[in-house]
């Protein structure tokens, strides 16, 4: 579906999540942080972040009991809704469709919530399906168990595409959103573009229709292109180490534990006063092979936290220091850059207390992804 003049890809590219970035309450800390150290401007995903409407945004009902698991999905499963091929391409229609599916799944099927993880309308609007799907995707780890494909509900991200594609072709707006969204999912979870499947690959069903199923090889190729221009393999390795990850995070008792900020990764995070001493909190990662890796940091950003926190990446060329403003831009993965790392199970990233700026230095989570 390349070269379609109706491509919506450029519209999707560069957009941001709905409802992300709300500031949390300030933390009162003695001594105002100095106005220096520019914020880390390096944050940039390899793949554009598409706009994804959360359950709250499209007006979902409260779900029943759901199961969120720590293991991450290893594939994407493509569906069609088998509904009407509407020519109403508006956001309002998309949101109404999402509500209709949820009600059918809850009231008709007796399920706890929408069965699929995500939904894309014929107008190209991407929506969260089952609650918690978007939170886990944003984090790049874990998933909510779905109800879209027997045997794959705890392994595959299920995407429902509005319409019936037994003989009709999906609109360009839908297809282009599907490409960008699959690329984002693959990037976040470290899934290869080759691991995009159709519902019928796992069970006797017409889903996702002969036409859409026949487009899956093209979809895989287009997603690979979106990931990296089609010139290099997709990331084959990604690991997240949180401050609670057993055996992989080490810090002295001077680093205290807090749950104050809701922007934290996982249950809690560690904090310490800045001081000109060597008291580094370390993250240990098992690097599979020497190569180029992107290192991302996650911290809760709060006005009053340290504006010049030194992150240390133990790269092949020696220790590389990246200074991050932890008073802003928290609650998301922030790129520290790409680094050449050597193979081995060892400390790869550290957070140092040796900052000239005031405010707590934070050690929450890091992510290392082969690029
Ligand atoms: Zn299906």
């Amino acid at each position: 579906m390349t070269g379609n003049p109706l491509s919506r890809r450029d519209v999707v590219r560069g957009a941001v999540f709905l409802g992300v970035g709300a500031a949390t309450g300030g933390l009162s800390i003695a001594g105002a942080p100095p106005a220096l150290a520019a914020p880390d401007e390096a944050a940039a995903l390899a793949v554009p972040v598409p706009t994804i409407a959360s359950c709250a945004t499209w007006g979902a009902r409260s779900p029943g009991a759901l199961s969120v698991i720590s293991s991450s999905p290893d594939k994407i499963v493509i569906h069609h809704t088998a509904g009407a091929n509407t020519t109403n391409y508006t956001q309002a229609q998309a949101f109404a469709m999402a509500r209709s599916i949820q009600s059918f799944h809850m009231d008709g099927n007796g399920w706890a919530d929408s069965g699929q993880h995500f939904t894309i309308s014929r107008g190209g609007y991407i929506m969260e399906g089952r609650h918690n799907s978007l939170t886990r995707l944003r984090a790049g780890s874990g998933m909510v168990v779905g109800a879209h494909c027997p045997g794959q509900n705890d392994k595959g991200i299920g995407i429902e595409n509005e319409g019936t594609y037994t003989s009709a072709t999906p609109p360009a707006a839908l297809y282009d959103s599907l490409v960008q969204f699959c690329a984002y999912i693959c990037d976040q979870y470290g899934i290869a573009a080759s691991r995009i499947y159709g519902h019928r690959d796992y069970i006797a069903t017409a889903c996702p229709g002969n036409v859409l199923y026949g487009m899956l090889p093209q979809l895989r190729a287009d997603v690979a292109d979106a990931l990296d221009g089609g010139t290099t393999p997709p990331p084959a390795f990604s690991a997240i180490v949180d401050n609670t990850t057993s055996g992989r995070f080490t810090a002295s008792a001077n680093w205290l534990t807090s749950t104050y900020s809701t922007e934290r990764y996982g249950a809690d995070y560690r904090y310490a006063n800045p001081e000109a001493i060597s008291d580094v909190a370390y993250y240990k990662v098992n690097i599979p092979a020497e190569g180029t890796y992107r290192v991302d940091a996650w911290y809760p950003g709060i006005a009053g936290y340290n504006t010049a926190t030194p992150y240390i990446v133990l790269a092949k060329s020696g220790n590389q220091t990246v200074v991050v403003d932890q008073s802003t831009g928290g609650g998301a993965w922030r790129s520290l850059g790409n680094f050449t790392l050597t193979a081995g199970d060892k400390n790869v990233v550290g957070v140092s207390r040796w900052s000239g700026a005031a405010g707590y230095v934070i050690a929450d989570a890091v992510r290392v992804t082969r690029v």
Side-chain angles (χ1 to χ4, degrees):
M1 297 296 284
T2 55
N4 191 312
L6 299 177
S7 172
R8 189 172 170 274
R9 187 170 300 177
D10 289 341
V11 177
V12 173
R13 181 166 290 143
V16 297
F17 281 121
L18 296 172
V20 170
T24 55
L27 177 62
S28 178
I29 300 173
L36 47 81
D40 168 28
E41 298 293 345
L45 287 169
V47 171
V49 181
T51 298
I52 305 165
S54 70
C55 284
T57 299
W58 56 259
R61 294 157 53 181
S62 296
L66 301 176
S67 176
V68 175
I69 57 177
S70 60
S71 60
S72 293
D74 62 7
K75 67 177 69 68
I76 296 170
V77 180
I78 302 297
H79 303 265
H80 69 171
T81 63
N85 287 336
T86 179
T87 54
N88 183 341
Y89 301 120
T90 65
Q91 184 186 66
Q93 190 279 332
F95 287 6
M97 183 260 299
R99 291 191 295 268
S100 172
I101 290 176
Q102 187 195 25
S103 287
F104 177 69
H105 285 177
M106 293 179 73
D107 302 332
N109 295 353
W111 297 347
D113 196 359
S114 298
Q116 76 280 14
H117 294 98
F118 296 97
T119 315
I120 304 178
S121 76
R122 281 172 57 84
Y125 289 96
I126 304 170
M127 294 159 284
E128 185 178 28
R130 181 158 288 211
H131 286 78
N132 302 304
S133 298
L134 184 51
T135 302
R136 297 325 313 161
L137 175 61
R138 282 181 55 210
S141 70
M143 65 183 294
V144 59
V145 176
H148 64 91
C149 181
Q152 300 301 319
N153 289 316
D154 60 352
K155 303 179 185 68
I157 294 295
I159 301 175
E160 283 282 2
N161 295 279
E162 182 185 26
T164 301
Y165 302 111
T166 50
S167 57
T169 299
L174 188 159
Y175 182 77
D176 285 347
S177 286
L178 180 61
V179 170
Q180 287 302 313
F181 187 45
C182 286
Y184 179 64
I185 294 171
C186 289
D187 190 50
Q188 284 295 93
Y189 281 123
I191 299 172
S194 59
R195 294 187 61 76
I196 298 174
Y197 299 94
H199 191 182
R200 68 171 65 173
D201 288 327
Y202 299 99
I203 192 170
T205 174
C207 182
N210 285 343
V211 174
L212 182 51
Y213 186 75
M215 290 170 68
L216 293 186
Q218 184 64 50
L219 177 62
R220 296 181 190 109
D222 287 344
V223 169
D225 283 347
L227 281 168
D228 56 25
T231 55
T232 56
F237 173 83
S238 186
I240 293 172
V241 179
D242 189 21
N243 59 290
T244 58
T245 305
S246 177
R248 301 215 157 264
F249 176 85
T250 51
S252 76
N254 296 321
W255 291 82
L256 303 179
T257 301
S258 176
T259 60
Y260 179 81
S261 173
T262 57
E263 290 185 353
R264 65 184 179 269
Y265 187 94
D268 55 34
Y269 55 97
R270 303 284 286 270
Y271 68 99
N273 277 310
E275 199 168 340
I277 58 171
S278 181
D279 185 17
V280 178
Y282 281 111
Y283 300 84
K284 185 179 181 184
V285 181
N286 192 359
I287 302 297
E290 181 172 321
T292 303
Y293 294 81
R294 187 182 76 241
V295 177
D296 303 314
W298 183 298
Y299 57 86
I302 287 185
Y305 281 175
N306 199 282
T307 54
T309 300
Y311 281 81
I312 302 163
V313 179
L314 287 71
K316 183 183 182 183
S317 59
N319 289 0
Q320 307 290 311
T321 300
V322 181
V323 176
V324 173
D325 181 353
Q326 294 186 318
S327 71
T328 186
W333 290 114
R334 302 292 302 270
S335 174
L336 304 182
N338 290 348
F339 304 87
T340 300
L341 303 178
T342 57
D345 196 5
K346 60 199 176 175
N347 290 332
V348 169
V349 185
V351 181
S352 172
R353 296 174 60 192
W354 204 313
S355 169
Y360 292 135
V361 294
I362 304 300
D364 196 351
V366 301
R367 179 174 69 177
V368 177
T369 304
R370 188 163 193 179
V371 296

